[in-house]
Amino acid sequence: MKEFFTGMSSLEQTYWIIALVGSAVFLIIFLLTFIGGGDTDMDADASDFEVDDGGVGFQFFTFKGIVAFFTIFGWSGLTCLNNNLSTTVTLIISFIAGILMMVITTSLFYWMHKLAESGTLQMKNAIGVIGEVYLPIGAKRSKMGKIQIKVQGSLRELEAITDESEDLKTGTMVKVTEIVSAELLLVETISK
């Protein structure tokens, strides 16, 4: 390895080290991501640009993005030096190329993460949904029962109570009016 660096300028040696180390780490990250082990939270929260209100959103300064920056910074710098560009031009071009790769990589991982659908039930999505009483529900919140409703594309059995003056029997059609707690719905009959 020492013979490889012999005769190179210190700038060229620095670019080679950055390019080789960056490429090795970048390859490991991509392999882990595609086989499912790259979901570790090594992302720095230096800069958050919230795109949605559920979860983390677009993070520009992430571990993956920084590794991508240094990888392309190193390789583009070597290309510029091999084409006999000046040190200033080489630094500018490699910096711009690194930033572009950082943006592309961060965007790629962001959109890959957005494609993964969460199966977590969002109870707020049950409000206004019509369902059927599965286990009888006591009048005036006296006894908890269960209803079957279709929420987020799947049929679910959820616990429910009612403010109705009569018990709701199995098979009664109801509408969810409120979320009482994390696992409990308030329902009313549809015939109102």
Side-chain angles (χ1 to χ4, degrees):
M1 188 72 157
K2 192 172 186 177
E3 292 122 18
F4 179 72
F5 285 114
T6 308
M8 288 186 194
S9 68
S10 58
L11 182 63
E12 196 172 9
Q13 289 176 356
T14 303
Y15 271 116
W16 268 109
I17 292 169
I18 290 171
L20 293 174
V21 171
S23 295
V25 175
F26 195 69
L27 182 65
I28 291 168
I29 289 171
F30 262 87
L31 288 175
L32 286 175
T33 299
F34 287 113
I35 62 173
D39 208 20
T40 57
D41 190 19
M42 295 166 52
D43 295 338
D45 292 331
S47 177
D48 275 0
F49 299 103
E50 292 294 332
V51 174
D52 60 354
D53 57 0
V56 173
F58 188 82
Q59 293 182 317
F60 187 68
F61 291 105
T62 64
F63 180 72
K64 295 169 188 170
I66 292 170
V67 169
F69 170 84
F70 282 112
T71 302
I72 296 305
F73 176 84
W75 288 115
S76 61
L78 285 171
T79 303
C80 290
L81 290 175
N82 287 338
N83 287 309
N84 298 320
L85 297 178
S86 70
T87 302
T88 305
V89 172
T90 299
L91 286 170
I92 291 171
I93 290 174
S94 59
F95 182 78
I96 291 171
I99 290 292
L100 287 174
M101 186 60 177
M102 191 175 188
V103 169
I104 291 168
T105 303
T106 303
S107 299
L108 174 71
F109 280 105
Y110 171 75
W111 290 111
M112 282 173 44
H113 179 47
K114 292 293 278 184
L115 288 175
E117 186 175 325
S118 171
T120 306
L121 172 63
Q122 300 292 323
M123 291 297 279
K124 67 181 179 184
N125 294 334
I127 296 176
V129 176
I130 295 172
E132 183 178 347
V133 175
Y134 176 68
L135 293 176
I137 303 170
K140 300 285 184 187
R141 301 186 184 201
S142 62
K143 178 182 160 198
M144 201 177 331
K146 285 194 174 188
I147 61 169
Q148 285 185 329
I149 58 172
K150 191 169 186 175
V151 182
Q152 293 174 214
S154 63
L155 188 63
R156 305 198 185 240
E157 292 177 8
L158 301 171
E159 294 181 334
I161 56 174
T162 186
D163 286 333
E164 302 279 332
S165 56
E166 294 180 17
D167 291 352
L168 302 179
K169 296 180 176 27
T170 301
T172 305
M173 298 303 289
V174 293
K175 180 179 178 182
V176 178
T177 58
E178 186 181 326
I179 309 297
V180 177
S181 68
E183 300 289 324
L184 186 61
L185 304 173
L186 180 64
V187 296
E188 64 181 22
T189 57
I190 294 180
S191 58
K192 281 190 165 180

